[in-house]
Amino acid sequence: MEQTPDTAPDHFVPVRGRRARRHAMTGEIWQRDLVHGDHWEVYKSPADFEAGRRQRAVWSDGRLKEQFR
């Protein structure tokens, strides 16, 4: 199980100008799925976030939903 902005909000900081959160330790960018809103899309870096290259999708409780690449 992973920490998510829902389960461990103190480990995440807002991304300025975006509706996303950055994990303070790993630097990964987490954004709630904009269509369904039931899981988080995770991007390895800010550059991947800007390019739209997701690494994985994680349910709000920390379970892996889907792995990309």
Side-chain angles (χ1 to χ4, degrees), residues 4 6-8 14 16 20 23-24 29-30 41 43 55 60 69:
T4 70
D6 294 326
T7 62
R16 194 158 141 201
H23 192 283
I29 305 295
W30 290 62
E41 302 289 343
Y43 302 84
Q55 181 187 41
S60 292
R69 289 194 248 168

Side-chain angles (χ1 to χ4, degrees), residues 3-56:
Q3 295 174 343
T4 70
D6 294 326
T7 62
D10 53 319
H11 290 113
F12 292 84
V13 295
V15 175
R16 194 158 141 201
R18 305 283 185 195
R19 291 178 9 195
R21 301 270 183 234
R22 181 178 57 83
H23 192 283
M25 298 294 286
T26 65
E28 293 177 328
I29 305 295
W30 290 62
Q31 181 177 41
R32 187 168 297 280
D33 179 82
L34 298 176
V35 175
H36 303 102
D38 62 352
H39 66 275
W40 293 90
E41 302 289 343
V42 183
Y43 302 84
K44 189 77 173 161
S45 68
D48 285 346
F49 177 70
E50 293 298 326
R53 291 186 299 263
R54 299 171 296 174
Q55 181 187 41
R56 64 190 182 281

